[in-house]
Structure formats: C-alpha cells, structure tokens
C-alpha cells in the first residue's frame, strides 16, 4: 500500500516533555516527520547532524536557550524557518526573538490550529521557486531595492539583512507602494491566517522592519490608524 510522503521535517525543541509529546503526535497526524529534543544544545546538535525544514523552538530552555540557538544558527548562515514559542508576550521580548533571527513567534498557551497555520505559512515561504519561474527584475521604491529571487534588500548602498517574514512583509508593501493595506489583507498574505484585532504580531514586525530599514525615519512605512500600513514612495 502506498504511504503518504512527509510534508516536511520539523524539529521541536522544548524542555517540557508534555509539550514535546503532544506536538509530536499532532504534527505527525498532519503528515510531518518530527524530531524532538529537550534543550538548546541538543537542538543545535540535531540541526548540525541532519538539516530540517522547520524548527519549533521554546525560548526558555536549560543550558542554551531558544534565543541562543537561533542566534547561533543565523550566525552560521542557516536560514531554516524558526517559530519561537514563548511565555513572554511583551514587545521587548518579541523583539529579542526577532533580533535572534526567529521568523515568527507564538505565545504559550497556544491553539494547535494556530501553530499549524503558522508552520504552513513558514513552509510556503521557504519553498524554492522552480527554475524558469518568477524571473523578474528588482523592485525599486525610492532608495529601497529588493531582489525577489535572491531575497536581498538594499537601502541606498547599504544591504539590509532580513528574516523570511520581514522580507515577505517588505516585498508585499513594495509591490503595493502608495496603497494602504489593511491588517486582514497583510495577515492573510504573509501568515495565511488572521490572528484577530487583539494581535500585536503585525505591529511588532512593522516596528522591527522600520528599525532595520529606516534608522529612526518613520516616513517610509506609515501607519494608517484603524486601517493598516502603507509604503510611501519618497520623492
């Protein structure tokens, strides 16, 4: 009898055995191949031994914590998508995760369906574009230049290092420069899931993208209160 091929390989790193076991069962039911580890040292060893497609990484772990694992992988130029699990929901803690190189984060306790939706979105964005498809020139808005195929961004002569989520968010804004995109549209296009009006997920990513791109200048990515965001071409 034919068996279903795994969608992708996911590494779950969490020191809580109950969470590891429940995620392993749930992800395997979704068709993923799952590996689990209990701390940051084991997580790094597992990725070095055999690459994975996605990483679910708890922030608070003994030894090397989740932020440390993400920082090491990004320093090694490993771009595997990382979903950070955290019990800390304040903005500075979220920014710390982004600083370390996480592509997304999810506060504990979380709904399984939301975690699965975020993993699907990360996996879609990480899937390479087949040769001969989506061949296009640089996107240019003022001093900003974005190469969709190479996934590189420049502000003037300075190249800007962005995570997958940051890059996808900027690309969406640049393709719609001058148009106000509402929160629901952005969530649907970037995450494939609307986290609702109370979510601060998008605001945190916009804030972090501004820090990287604008160096204190808030005139490039503008907030339209009660609606969403827009990238204003600067003359």
């Amino acid at each position: 009898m034919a068996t279903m091929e795994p969608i992708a390989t996911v590494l779950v790193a969490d020191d809580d055995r109950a969470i590891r076991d429940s995620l392993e069962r749930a992800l395997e039911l979704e068709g993923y191949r799952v590996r689990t580890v209990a701390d940051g040292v084991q997580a790094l060893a597992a990725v070095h031994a055999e690459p994975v497609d996605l990483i679910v990484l708890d922030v608070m772990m003994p030894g090397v914590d989740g932020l440390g694992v993400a920082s090491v992988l990004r320093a090694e130029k490993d771009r595997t998508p990382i979903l950070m699990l955290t019990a800390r929901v304040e903005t500075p803690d979220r920014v710390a995760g982004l600083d370390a190189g996480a592509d997304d984060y999810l506060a504990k306790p979380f709904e399984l369906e939301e975690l699965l939706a975020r993993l699907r979105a990360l996996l879609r964005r990480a899937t390479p574009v087949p040769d001969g498809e989506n061949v296009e020139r640089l996107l240019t808005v003022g001093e900003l230049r974005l190469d969709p195929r190479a996934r590189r961004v420049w502000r003037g002569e300075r190249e800007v290092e962005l995570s997958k989520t940051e890059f996808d968010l900027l690309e969406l804004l640049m393709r719609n420069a001058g148009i106000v995109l509402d929160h629901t549209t952005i969530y649907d296009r970037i995450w494939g899931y609307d986290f609702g009006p109370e979510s601060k997920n998008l605001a945190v990513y916009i804030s972090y993208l501004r820090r990287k791109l604008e160096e204190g200048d808030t005139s490039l990515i503008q907030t339209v209160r009660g609606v969403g965001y827009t990238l204003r071409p600067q003359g």
Side-chain angles (χ1 to χ4, degrees), residues 19-20 72 84 168 181 191 210 220 227:
I19 291 178
R20 289 200 312 274
V72 169
M84 198 81 80
D168 292 339
L181 298 176
W191 284 274
R210 283 171 171 161
L220 186 60
V227 182

Side-chain angles (χ1 to χ4, degrees), residues 40-41 43-51 55 64 67-80 82 100-101 161:
V41 173
L44 288 171
V47 174
H48 291 156
E50 184 181 351
I55 301 173
V64 180
L67 299 178
V69 172
S71 295
V72 169
L73 292 176
R74 295 312 187 228
E76 296 173 345
K77 305 300 182 184
D78 187 319
R79 298 302 177 191
T80 305
I82 294 173
E161 290 287 335

Side-chain angles (χ1 to χ4, degrees), residues 93-105:
D93 298 310
R94 296 173 179 179
V95 169
L98 300 178
D99 264 328
D103 295 286
D104 201 357
Y105 58 85

Side-chain angles (χ1 to χ4, degrees), residues 109-149:
F110 52 84
E111 294 292 333
L112 177 61
E113 286 304 315
E114 182 173 351
L115 180 139
L116 292 173
R118 296 193 185 206
L119 290 185
R120 288 193 296 269
L122 286 174
L123 189 60
R124 283 196 301 272
R125 297 203 302 274
T127 302
V129 177
D131 290 342
E133 293 187 17
N134 197 31
V135 177
E136 55 187 313
R137 297 178 179 178
L138 296 180
L139 299 178
T140 302
V141 178
E143 292 185 332
L144 276 181
R145 291 176 295 134
L146 181 147
D147 186 336
R149 281 183 60 81

Side-chain angles (χ1 to χ4, degrees), residues 152-164:
R152 298 174 67 185
V153 174
W154 298 265
R155 176 78 188 268
E157 298 302 315
R158 175 176 63 92
E159 184 166 2
V160 183
E161 290 287 335
L162 300 179
S163 71
K164 285 184 175 62

Side-chain angles (χ1 to χ4, degrees), residues 13-15 56-61 65-67 84-86 108:
D14 197 306
D15 62 332
V56 178
L57 193 60
D58 185 34
V59 171
M60 301 297 291
M61 292 188 293
D65 65 11
L67 299 178
M84 198 81 80
L85 300 181
T86 176
K108 294 180 177 179

